Amino acid sequence: MNPHLARLFAVSRQPARRIIGLMSGTSLDGLDVALCRCEGHGAALKVTLEQFASIPYTPEEQQQLRAISQPQVSLTALTLANAAVARRHAAAVQTCLWQWQLRPADIDLLASHGQTIWHAPRHQHQQAGYPHHATLQIGDGDHLAALTGIITVADFRQKHVAHGFEGAPLAGFADQLLFASPTENRLLLNLGGIANFTYLPAVSVPGPALTTDTGPANTLLDAATRRHFPGQLYDSGGRLAAIGTPHPALLAALLAHPFFNAPLPKTTGPELFSLAYVEAAQVQTQTTEISPTDLLATLVELSAAGVAQAVQKAVPDADLAQTVVYASGGGQHNDTLMTALQRQLPSVRLASIEALGISTDAKEAVLFAVLANETIAGTPTLSLGKICLP
């Protein structure tokens, strides 16, 4: 037998696996690297976060990624980036292993999300004659496997799309395994570039989880900050937005986009929620001259309103007061955004995901480690990801 296949078979039968989850989101702030011990699978799964590192991208790396996330990107640039991102991520894994005093042989699997370049669900691309969803992540899994020597599970979103789904969000598969409770209604809210949540009502036998995107979280806030405050990559803590005053007419125009009234579940990305979308609403409402801080304050309200509207659709009114919202992602550090969320969802209790034993910043990387664990060792109804041998 091929020794790599033999290794894969052995890993699948082990009582526990050490898996490194890699996550680089649409906010483009850096690569999250989570070393997890996954014991068992399915309902019996127990996950321990052994190590975590967040490796920031340089401004040059961020600009390179933004440049290839455009409709008119050259095929040469995209092809080169597919390998370059994988090499960058492989180097980050090797650095972390050295810092953690581990060898590649100590790791059973890599779980790589890759870098989303373009997300095109059917409702968004609206291409006649193409009734399918599509999505594209770069950071080739074969490069990762070959460069690290570790069996790699990658392209999770591609497999989701191949089975007829939209490719996002994927968090619900792992959220249900890790966080479902028979006694507490839980809503797991991730505030990354795009906001999404998984709703887990308190039931003794969980059914399929509702997972949905809600609209922008940080993507518009970060883009507006970079444009209007040169040298700042994001509004740290929401301090700039806190100075401003939301503009009601502009906020109403932004919320008039059909996405917000679309039924749940739904998915979107920065392809839709870009500065062009904001600029069009500003022209419509004659607000092109509002101050940068007022613009940021308005965009905070937009992110909070998108979450609040989706939560109110997903959670029955009678259950809202008994629901705890556990927040994670970069937006959880934005005090102005969190204050707006609590104001728009006054009856729910807001908490950090850390109350459930998972680092706020590590959660997404941990979730992909869980997905890889279930693909290799579990009996999921839908296996996600493709397996890349060294």
Side-chain angles (χ1 to χ4, degrees):
M1 178 184 286
N2 181 312
H4 296 308
L5 286 176
R7 168 70 171 153
L8 178 63
F9 181 70
V11 166
S12 73
R13 296 174 64 85
Q14 291 172 188
R17 283 152 290 281
R18 294 178 97 181
I19 304 175
I20 290 179
L22 302 178
M23 179 63 195
S24 180
T26 54
S27 58
L28 303 180
D29 49 357
L31 178 69
D32 293 333
V33 186
L35 172 59
C36 304
R37 175 182 169 84
C38 296
E39 182 179 351
H41 60 83
L45 174 68
K46 295 180 181 178
V47 176
T48 302
L49 179 62
E50 295 187 349
Q51 299 282 356
F52 176 71
S54 188
I55 301 170
Y57 292 142
T58 66
E60 294 75 18
E61 289 170 336
Q62 290 180 327
Q63 182 54 40
Q64 290 169 0
L65 290 173
R66 289 191 193 100
I68 61 173
S69 301
Q70 302 298 323
Q72 304 306 320
V73 63
S74 79
L75 290 177
T76 298
L78 185 60
T79 301
L80 294 175
N82 187 36
V85 167
R87 290 182 174 275
R88 188 180 302 154
H89 290 184
V93 169
Q94 291 164 335
T95 298
C96 287
L97 289 177
W98 179 80
Q99 292 174 341
W100 299 336
Q101 299 183 356
L102 294 170
R103 303 165 302 152
D106 297 322
I107 308 302
D108 295 307
L109 298 168
L110 278 182
S112 174
H113 169 267
Q115 182 66 57
T116 296
I117 295 304
W118 201 256
H119 188 55
R122 182 174 55 243
H123 70 83
Q124 196 160 297
H125 68 68
Q126 296 185 353
Q127 295 293 311
Y130 195 90
H132 311 293
H133 306 298
T135 189
L136 178 63
Q137 289 71 43
I138 64 171
D140 180 60
D142 284 320
H143 278 75
L144 272 169
L147 292 168
T148 63
I150 303 170
I151 297 170
T152 298
V153 185
D155 281 335
F156 294 92
R157 298 192 188 280
Q158 292 290 355
K159 183 63 70 69
H160 198 237
V161 167
H163 282 273
F165 302 101
E166 293 192 3
L170 298 181
F173 294 97
D175 280 342
Q176 188 167 43
L177 293 176
L178 294 179
F179 304 118
S181 166
T183 59
E184 181 179 74
N185 293 336
R186 292 176 173 176
L187 191 140
L188 287 303
L189 173 64
N190 176 54
L191 296 169
I194 297 297
N196 62 72
F197 66 71
T198 301
Y199 176 50
L200 300 170
V203 291
S204 56
V205 181
L210 170 62
T211 306
T212 185
D213 287 346
T214 71
N218 302 312
T219 187
L220 291 177
L221 291 167
D222 293 351
T225 300
R226 290 193 304 271
R227 172 171 291 185
H228 295 288
F229 298 91
Q232 296 194 47
L233 298 178
Y234 62 95
D235 181 11
S236 179
R239 288 190 286 270
L240 294 169
I243 298 171
T245 301
H247 194 287
L250 177 57
L251 178 60
L254 291 167
L255 285 170
H257 192 282
F259 174 83
F260 293 106
N261 286 323
L264 307 181
K266 53 190 175 181
T267 181
T268 190
E271 302 81 12
L272 170 60
F273 291 109
S274 66
L275 286 182
Y277 150 79
V278 177
E279 290 162 358
Q282 288 185 275
V283 170
Q284 176 189 340
T285 56
Q286 300 181 340
T287 55
T288 55
E289 301 302 320
I290 67 171
S291 71
T293 52
D294 285 356
L295 177 60
L296 287 174
T298 305
L299 295 178
V300 162
E301 294 299 318
L302 172 68
S303 295
V307 172
Q309 288 181 6
V311 169
Q312 289 161 348
K313 289 179 181 178
V315 183
D317 291 344
D319 293 338
L320 274 172
Q322 287 75 47
T323 299
V324 183
V325 174
Y326 292 97
S328 62
Q332 206 257 334
H333 302 299
N334 185 322
D335 295 335
T336 307
L337 175 57
M338 297 304 293
T339 298
L341 273 173
Q342 187 66 84
R343 184 176 65 254
Q344 296 200 34
L345 291 170
S347 62
V348 306
R349 180 163 69 88
L350 281 179
S352 167
I353 194 67
E354 296 192 2
L356 299 180
I358 293 288
S359 161
T360 294
D361 297 319
K363 178 178 180 272
E364 291 294 288
V366 171
L367 293 183
F368 282 95
V370 170
L371 292 179
N373 183 75
E374 294 303 304
T375 293
I376 298 301
T379 54
T381 55
L382 175 59
S383 293
L384 295 173
K386 59 187 65 170
I387 299 167
C388 305
L389 302 178

